Amino acid sequence: MTWSIIAKDDTTGRIGIAVATRFFAVGARVPFIVAGRGGIATQALVNPYYGIDGATLLRDGRHPREIVQLLTAADPGRESRQVHILDLNGQIAAHTGRDCIDWCGHLEGQGFSIAGNMLAGPQVLNETANAFLANSALPFAQRLIAAMRAGEAAGGDKRGKQSAALLIHGKDEWSELDLRVDDHADPLAELERLESVSRRHWAVFRQFMPTRDNPAGITDRAVIDDGLAAALKSPT
């Protein structure tokens, strides 16, 4: 009842997942990312443990194909599930159970994986992929949203729209961006608006947070306030 894209930003090494559906709070259950390892999207009749246990297997260095095999083998409900995985090396694996509702399927390309079920048709995935490839000059978050907007214009979830989410991780364990639109008449448009707001607030503030390379981060409030004030004055 959902479609999603998992992608790697070749410039920065970030992993991102964007997802949309005609269901409540899709961001709470579908996307999982392990920093420095890869991403997983679990959907259809969603099994959260595909994300939870799959993340553990990614940390262990397992190949996505092996992870999918292990997850589905342990799940008697596998034929009602859809899952796809992209690791940091660009390796991809997916499973679409035979009881997933048409249209359902999976598409993969260089550095991205797209999967969906209960869609208007295969054109949803095709146009999501085409837009992702065509917008390589965009910043990563905007590129993912543009891809999803194209999939929506091609029909999206055939029941309509309700929620969307965008999750991006860099090399640190905490997310660089985690945006959720849980219940909205036009969730991808609202996700696009939130991403724009994040560039003037969160994207600036996160530069001052602790990282593994800089455990203290920046604690000088004057420096933080100056950075935020400068961002608010910026025309971008």
Side-chain angles (χ1 to χ4, degrees), residues 31 53 56 78 136 141 158 213 227:
D53 296 341
T56 298
R78 68 183 74 89
S136 59
K158 65 184 179 182
D213 294 335

Side-chain angles (χ1 to χ4, degrees), residues 111-191:
F112 68 88
S113 172
I114 307 171
N117 63 94
M118 204 180 279
L119 301 181
Q123 72 274 11
V124 177
L125 301 194
N126 292 334
E127 290 307 309
T128 301
N130 290 340
F132 183 76
L133 292 169
N135 287 291
S136 59
L138 284 177
F140 190 41
Q142 295 170 56
R143 187 182 182 189
L144 289 168
I145 294 173
M148 294 297 292
R149 293 296 297 266
E152 181 176 78
D157 186 323
K158 65 184 179 182
R159 301 163 304 157
K161 47 192 175 181
Q162 185 174 2
S163 68
L166 176 64
L167 179 63
I168 295 175
H169 274 255
K171 64 180 181 180
D172 283 290
E173 292 90 340
W174 49 270
S175 61
E176 289 198 5
L177 191 63
D178 187 351
L179 301 178
R180 300 183 184 188
V181 180
D182 288 345
D183 184 27
H184 197 278
D186 198 350
L188 284 173
E190 176 64 3
L191 191 69

Side-chain angles (χ1 to χ4, degrees), residues 5-18 32-40 86-91 110-113 132 136-144 166-178 195 198-199 202-204 206-207 211:
I5 177 170
I6 312 173
K8 178 186 174 184
D9 183 358
D10 287 332
T11 302
T12 64
R14 293 182 178 96
I15 294 289
I17 301 176
F32 291 78
I33 296 177
V34 180
R37 294 293 186 178
I40 302 169
L86 169 73
D87 73 10
L88 202 64
N89 296 319
Q91 300 174 126
Q110 187 67 38
F112 68 88
S113 172
F132 183 76
S136 59
L138 284 177
F140 190 41
Q142 295 170 56
R143 187 182 182 189
L144 289 168
L166 176 64
L167 179 63
I168 295 175
H169 274 255
K171 64 180 181 180
D172 283 290
E173 292 90 340
W174 49 270
S175 61
E176 289 198 5
L177 191 63
D178 187 351
E195 191 280 327
S198 79
R199 280 179 259 143
W202 164 245
V204 178
R206 79 182 183 210
Q207 301 174 65
T211 67

Side-chain angles (χ1 to χ4, degrees), residues 207-220 224:
Q207 301 174 65
F208 307 122
M209 293 182 62
T211 67
R212 293 297 184 190
D213 294 335
N214 180 14
I218 302 296
T219 58
D220 186 329
I224 295 171

Side-chain angles (χ1 to χ4, degrees), residues 25-102:
V26 69
R29 292 290 173 259
V30 168
F32 291 78
I33 296 177
V34 180
R37 294 293 186 178
I40 302 169
T42 171
Q43 48 201 55
L45 285 183
V46 64
N47 183 339
Y49 292 104
Y50 280 22
I52 295 165
D53 296 341
T56 298
L57 293 167
L58 272 174
R59 289 187 190 96
D60 290 343
R62 304 292 188 98
H63 190 286
R65 185 169 52 251
E66 183 184 8
I67 295 172
V68 168
Q69 290 171 346
L70 289 168
L71 294 174
T72 55
D75 178 17
R78 68 183 74 89
E79 299 305 338
S80 297
R81 319 290 188 206
Q82 186 175 54
V83 61
H84 61 130
I85 303 173
L86 169 73
D87 73 10
L88 202 64
N89 296 319
Q91 300 174 126
I92 295 168
H95 163 81
T96 299
R98 62 172 175 262
D99 294 333
C100 291
I101 298 175
D102 280 336

